[in-house]
Structures are given as structure tokens and as C-alpha cells.
């Protein structure tokens, strides 16, 4: 049950991270609002990562080591994609802020 909550929560936070980063890109001219959305994007990115770490800890604590061994690559790849897309969108937002 906790594994499902951690995974679903992580997925939802990842989508929110991308959503706020995308919204930050569209806030050209309003630096304060855009900066707030970029900050929220990074916050949700960090929460998504933490939930994945808690999920791995939960599997280890219930001694489900075979599941950890079988699935460890998916959170690693997912984390890299989450960070790369969030960073790219937030960098794009920053570039837009500095051009105006």
C-alpha cells in the first residue's frame, strides 16, 4: 500500500514540477510570479525525488530486496528525466526573464 502511495505521489509531484516550470516559461514580464513558479517547480521536483527514496527505503525495510534489485533502474532513469526536463524548462524561463 505504501509503495503505491509513494509511487503515485512521486508521479503527481513530477507532473506538478513540469507544470509549474511550463507556467514559469509563460510568465514573461512578471519576474516575481515567474520566479515563484520556478521555485514551486523545484520544490515539487525535490518532493518527487524524496518520495522515490522513501519508497526504496520502505521496500528495504519490509525485506523485499528482490523488488529493489529488479526495479532500481526505473527510479534512476525517471529521476534523470525529471531533473533534466525541470532544469531545461526553468533555464528556458530564466532566459526569457533576462531578455525582457
Amino acid at each position: 500500500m505504501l509503495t503505491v502511495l509513494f509511487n503515485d505521489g512521486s508521479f503527481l509531484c513530477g507532473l506538478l514540477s513540469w507544470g509549474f516550470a511550463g507556467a514559469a516559461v509563460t510568465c514573461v514580464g512578471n519576474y516575481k510570479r515567474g520566479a515563484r513558479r520556478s521555485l514551486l517547480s523545484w520544490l515539487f521536483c525535490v518532493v518527487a525525488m524524496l518520495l522515490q527514496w522513501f519508497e526504496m527505503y520502505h521496500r528495504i525495510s519490509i525485506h523485499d530486496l528482490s523488488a529493489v534489485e529488479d526495479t532500481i533502474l526505473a527510479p534512476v532513469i525517471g529521476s534523470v528525466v525529471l531533473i533534466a526536463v525541470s532544469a531545461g524548462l526553468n533555464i528556458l524561463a530564466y532566459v526569457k526573464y533576462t531578455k525582457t
Side-chain angles (χ1 to χ4, degrees):
M1 180 66 179
L2 279 178
T3 297
V4 173
L5 292 175
F6 286 141
N7 284 330
D8 289 349
S10 178
F11 181 73
L12 179 64
C13 286
L15 289 178
L16 286 170
S17 172
W18 290 351
F20 278 111
V25 171
T26 65
C27 284
V28 178
N30 191 340
Y31 182 76
K32 188 178 263 188
R33 185 180 299 163
R36 191 178 314 126
R37 289 179 181 175
S38 285
L39 181 64
L40 284 171
S41 169
W42 284 114
L43 175 72
F44 280 112
C45 187
V46 168
V47 171
M49 297 289 298
L50 284 173
L51 287 173
Q52 280 301 304
W53 293 342
F54 289 147
E55 193 270 333
M56 283 295 150
Y57 176 78
H58 171 69
R59 286 183 188 234
I60 290 169
S61 69
I62 62 171
H63 303 291
D64 193 4
L65 299 180
S66 63
V68 173
E69 291 172 350
D70 292 342
T71 62
I72 193 66
L73 190 58
V76 171
I77 292 172
S79 299
V80 168
V81 170
L82 174 67
I83 291 170
V85 172
S86 294
L89 287 171
N90 282 301
I91 289 169
L92 181 63
Y94 176 75
V95 168
K96 284 191 167 192
Y97 297 148
T98 56
K99 282 188 177 181
T100 59

